[in-house]
């Protein structure tokens, strides 16, 4: 190198962020992890299934190979105690008795249902009431119940939130949470309802009926001791809802369209739901997997940055189909392992936890269990970067963010995006409640800054090249979401995924070094 070129090179390096000068994440290693985790040998990494146990063993072995310290004493595992419930469809039934006729919906086709708690037998005999969206806003701005005592009643609710009125708030604002089906179940439980039946549409749920059916015909899980004894939960199709309201002498579409109004009042239906739910119930243990990479700064090493990705998918179905979950979420697990491989050689000033929660597909159970019993003080946890269902379509100009909206964190995100040649996607409305559907959310609820950058279901990325074709391929993912066809393809273009991973690396390096990331 000539002496004249040396000052130029040094000046260029001085203007380049430190993390951009260092080696980036190894795509070959990432792709190898992805291919293995999505392989049929792991049988879809199901909660409570052998394939899930194999995934846990693989992940903890990888952390050990990388030299990370066990996060839970001498163990890489944190036990999460669950109850499993599987409806015996042949022994279960539900009928709707109207003034002049009755309906018997077909399980799986018209209706999915289950007990709300770990009960082997549940008798159902309760009247129906339509409560619109079933939303009560914490600030008092909206109350779909209007003071109605719903104890002992089964509530019919619309999935999602209103379509009309003032513009919906941007992503991750509280009103978007109210439309989530999990929140609706919780609100009904607080009010002592005998059950909930959600009315599904593709648009309001953000996915088709097959996704709902696949999630409910298999074994479902809840935290041990959770649930509402004596209550049922379920979904019905829009076509079934139309027939049900006709049985009651009502027009479903008219009532549903009126549910957007703040003046909406519940409508009691002259229908009695009667039936019996028989379930196979078991207690089991599942595991979060976590390892620690200590920080290099004597003081800052007491604080923590968490990289997380849930390891579970839907496993092996009763029909033998394997739900491989390649995008959801072998992609995230592979990315976190590859990030850990990089960070082992370039540790941060703050400590790093590599965290793989269990049972995300069952309602964020593993991450919620961690937040309830953290392995590192939450007050000393500066950021959770959660990787979920990453981009296997192609490179983009932007990176989407779901999670904490704090200005300080968003400024770090903008800096990390710029360092990796990206811009942050402008905030937008979140009608499908994506912000509340991934493992960063329990951390957010606990006051820990948390993000899921690049969640593929968020969509709308500014793809490079043939944008229309790329967006069409991204939209097609919904045809494979939570289905056996979410399988790894060696031909996938991982350039977009690598952008997301390098963004996560840059953001973690910022959060791991700046004076205060909270």
């Amino acid at each position: 190198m000539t002496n004249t070129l040396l000052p130029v090179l040094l000046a260029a390096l001085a203007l380049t962020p430190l993390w951009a000068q260092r080696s980036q994440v190894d795509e070959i290693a990432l792709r190898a992890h992805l291919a293995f985790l999505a392989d049929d040998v792991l049988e879809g990494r199901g909660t409570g299934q052998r394939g899930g146990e194999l995934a846990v063993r693989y992940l903890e072995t990888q952390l050990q190979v990388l030299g990370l310290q066990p996060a839970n004493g001498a163990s890489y595992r944190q036990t999460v105690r669950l109850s499993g419930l599987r409806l015996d469809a042949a022994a279960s039934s539900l009928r709707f008795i109207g003034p002049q006729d009755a309906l018997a919906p077909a399980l799986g086709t018209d209706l999915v249902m289950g007990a709300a708690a770990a009960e082997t037998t549940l008798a159902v005999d309760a009247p129906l009431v339509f409560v619109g969206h079933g939303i009560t806003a914490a600030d008092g701005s909206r109350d779909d119940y209007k003071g109605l005592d719903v104890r002992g009643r089964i509530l019919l609710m619309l999935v999602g939130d209103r379509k009309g009125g003032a513009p919906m708030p941007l992503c991750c604002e509280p009103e978007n949470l109210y439309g989530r089906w999990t929140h609706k179940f919780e609100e009904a439980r607080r009010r002592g309802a005998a059950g909930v039946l959600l009315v599904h549409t593709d648009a309001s749920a953000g996915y088709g009926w097959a996704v709902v059916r696949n999630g409910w015909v298999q074994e479902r899980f809840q935290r041990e001791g959770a649930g509402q004894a004596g209550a049922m939960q379920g979904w019905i199709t829009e076509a079934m809802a139309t027939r049900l309201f006709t049985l009651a002498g009502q027009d479903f579409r008219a009532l549903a369209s009126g549910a957007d109004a703040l003046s909406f009042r519940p409508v009691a239906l002259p229908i009695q739901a009667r039936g019996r739910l028989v379930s196979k119930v078991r207690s089991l243990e599942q595991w979060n997997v976590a390892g620690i990479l200590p920080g290099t700064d004597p003081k800052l090493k007491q604080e923590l940055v968490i990289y997380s990705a849930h390891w579970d998918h839907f496993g092996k179905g009763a029909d033998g189909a394997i739900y491989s979950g390649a995008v959801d979420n072998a992609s995230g697990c592979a990315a976190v392992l590859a990030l850990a491989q990089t960070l082992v050689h370039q540790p941060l000033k703050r400590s790093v936890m590599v965290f793989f929660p269990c049972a995300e597909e069952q309602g964020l159970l593993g991450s919620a269990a961690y937040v309830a019993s953290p392995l590192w003080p939450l007050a000393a946890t500066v950021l959770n970067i959660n990787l979920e269902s990453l981009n296997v379509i192609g490179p983009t100009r932007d990176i989407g963010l779901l999670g904490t909206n704090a200005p300080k964190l968003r400024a770090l995100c903008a800096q990390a995006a710029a360092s990796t040649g990206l811009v942050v996607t402008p905030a937008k409305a979140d009608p499908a409640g994506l912000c509340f559907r991934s493992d960063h959310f329990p951390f957010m609820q606990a006051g820990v800054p948390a993000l899921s950058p690049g969640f593929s279901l968020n969509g709308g990325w500014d793809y490079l090249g043939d944008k229309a074709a790329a967006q069409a391929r991204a939209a097609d993912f919904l045809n494979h979401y939570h289905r056996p066809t979410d399988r790894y393809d060696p031909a996938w273009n991982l350039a977009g995924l690598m952008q997301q991973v390098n963004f996560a690396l840059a953001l973690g390096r910022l959060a791991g070094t700046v004076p205060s990331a909270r």
Side-chain angles (χ1 to χ4, degrees):
M1 181 180 295
T2 65
N3 290 336
T4 56
L5 288 177
L6 184 59
V8 176
L9 176 60
L10 292 175
L13 288 173
L15 293 173
T16 303
L18 182 59
W19 55 87
Q21 298 173 29
R22 297 171 174 168
S23 62
Q24 298 298 291
V25 178
D26 183 351
E27 179 180 340
I28 295 175
L30 188 155
R31 191 180 283 270
H33 289 307
L34 172 55
F36 180 79
L37 288 165
D39 193 271
D40 282 355
V41 73
L42 267 65
E43 299 176 347
R45 309 184 307 280
T47 298
Q49 297 185 13
R50 176 179 177 273
E53 294 185 14
L54 291 174
V56 167
R57 190 72 186 97
Y58 179 79
L59 293 170
E60 66 181 354
T61 299
Q62 293 302 314
L63 298 187
Q64 189 174 13
V65 168
L66 289 171
L68 272 67
Q69 298 177 3
N72 191 16
S75 178
Y76 292 97
R77 300 190 185 196
Q78 180 187 38
T79 299
V80 180
R81 291 179 171 81
L82 302 178
S83 296
L85 301 85
R86 184 188 294 274
L87 185 73
D88 184 344
S92 303
S93 63
L94 187 68
R95 287 172 56 84
F96 298 113
I97 314 299
Q100 298 178 346
D101 204 349
L103 285 175
L107 279 173
T109 302
D110 303 317
L111 162 78
V112 294
M113 64 179 181
E119 299 178 291
T120 56
T121 305
L122 174 65
V124 177
D125 191 356
L128 302 186
V129 59
F130 177 59
V131 294
H133 293 282
I135 290 173
T136 298
D139 62 4
S141 61
R142 179 174 176 185
D143 178 17
D144 288 344
Y145 290 87
K146 299 296 190 295
L148 178 67
D149 183 355
V150 297
R151 287 177 293 180
R153 304 190 189 197
I154 291 177
L155 311 183
L156 285 168
M157 293 186 194
L158 303 173
V159 174
D161 205 338
R162 60 182 172 81
K163 304 297 184 295
M168 287 292 291
L170 297 179
C171 180
C172 300
E173 294 299 320
E175 187 175 351
N176 290 305
L177 172 61
Y178 301 149
R180 287 287 295 135
W181 61 268
T182 51
H183 186 81
K184 294 172 188 280
F185 283 162
E186 291 166 4
E187 181 64 27
R189 176 183 176 177
R190 283 191 291 269
R191 293 174 176 270
V196 175
L197 289 173
L198 300 172
V199 180
H200 171 271
T201 67
D202 291 5
S204 61
Y207 40 77
W209 177 252
V211 173
V212 178
R213 183 187 62 239
N214 292 344
W216 281 72
V217 299
Q218 301 189 65
E219 188 175 19
R220 298 180 301 118
F221 299 89
Q222 57 186 228
R223 297 269 302 277
E224 188 176 70
Q228 180 186 359
M232 67 161 296
Q233 297 172 339
W235 296 58
I236 59 175
T237 64
E238 184 177 22
M240 185 63 215
T242 300
R243 293 168 59 198
L244 186 57
F245 277 64
T246 299
L247 180 68
Q250 297 280 359
D251 184 331
F252 168 69
R253 292 189 179 277
L255 288 178
S257 63
D260 283 356
L262 294 177
S263 59
F264 170 83
R265 302 190 71 84
V267 179
L269 302 178
I271 293 177
Q272 196 79 3
R274 290 180 183 152
R276 186 167 181 260
L277 281 66
V278 178
S279 303
K280 296 177 182 178
V281 176
R282 62 169 173 151
S283 298
L284 67 155
E285 292 182 348
Q286 291 292 273
W287 305 276
N288 296 330
V289 180
I292 297 292
L293 177 62
T296 60
D297 185 273
K299 183 177 180 181
L300 291 180
K301 69 188 299 183
Q302 304 304 315
E303 298 179 343
L304 187 70
V305 174
I306 297 177
Y307 283 102
S308 63
H310 74 88
W311 59 257
D312 65 300
H313 199 54
F314 287 103
K316 198 170 186 177
D319 60 356
I322 293 175
Y323 293 73
S324 301
V327 173
D328 184 11
N329 189 36
S331 67
C333 291
V336 170
L337 286 174
L339 282 164
Q341 179 180 330
T342 300
L343 290 168
V344 162
H345 300 291
Q346 303 162 2
L348 308 181
K349 291 183 178 180
R350 289 186 169 93
S351 296
V352 170
M353 176 184 287
V354 174
F355 177 53
F356 301 99
C358 66
E360 187 268 0
E361 302 290 7
Q362 305 299 323
L364 317 182
L365 302 184
S367 52
Y370 176 91
V371 167
S373 300
L375 302 178
W376 194 287
L378 295 181
T381 303
V382 300
L383 180 61
N384 167 229
I385 303 172
N386 181 64
L387 298 183
E388 164 75 52
S389 299
L390 300 179
N391 172 13
V392 298
I393 303 301
T396 65
R397 296 180 177 85
D398 59 345
I399 181 82
L401 301 175
L402 295 172
T404 303
N405 287 321
K408 184 179 292 187
L409 176 57
R410 291 302 170 122
L412 287 183
C413 290
Q415 190 175 346
S419 76
T420 51
L422 298 169
V423 296
V424 173
T425 307
K428 57 184 179 181
D430 183 21
L434 293 175
C435 185
F436 314 107
R437 289 166 55 180
S438 195
D439 282 309
H440 68 275
F441 182 55
F443 288 93
M444 278 182 64
Q445 287 183 302
V448 176
L451 292 166
S452 286
F455 187 6
S456 63
L457 288 178
N458 198 20
W461 311 124
D462 188 4
Y463 290 98
L464 299 175
D466 189 339
K467 183 175 180 179
Q471 287 179 329
R473 292 196 302 274
D476 182 59
F477 173 62
L478 287 177
N479 296 322
H480 307 283
Y481 173 65
H482 287 189
R483 300 186 189 188
T485 52
D486 178 11
R487 301 180 64 83
Y488 172 66
D489 183 348
W492 274 346
N493 179 356
L494 298 189
L497 188 153
M498 295 307 298
Q499 288 178 310
Q500 295 170 328
V501 172
N502 284 319
F503 167 83
L505 177 63
L507 180 59
R509 283 176 171 159
L510 282 168
T513 57
V514 296
S516 175
R518 290 193 72 142

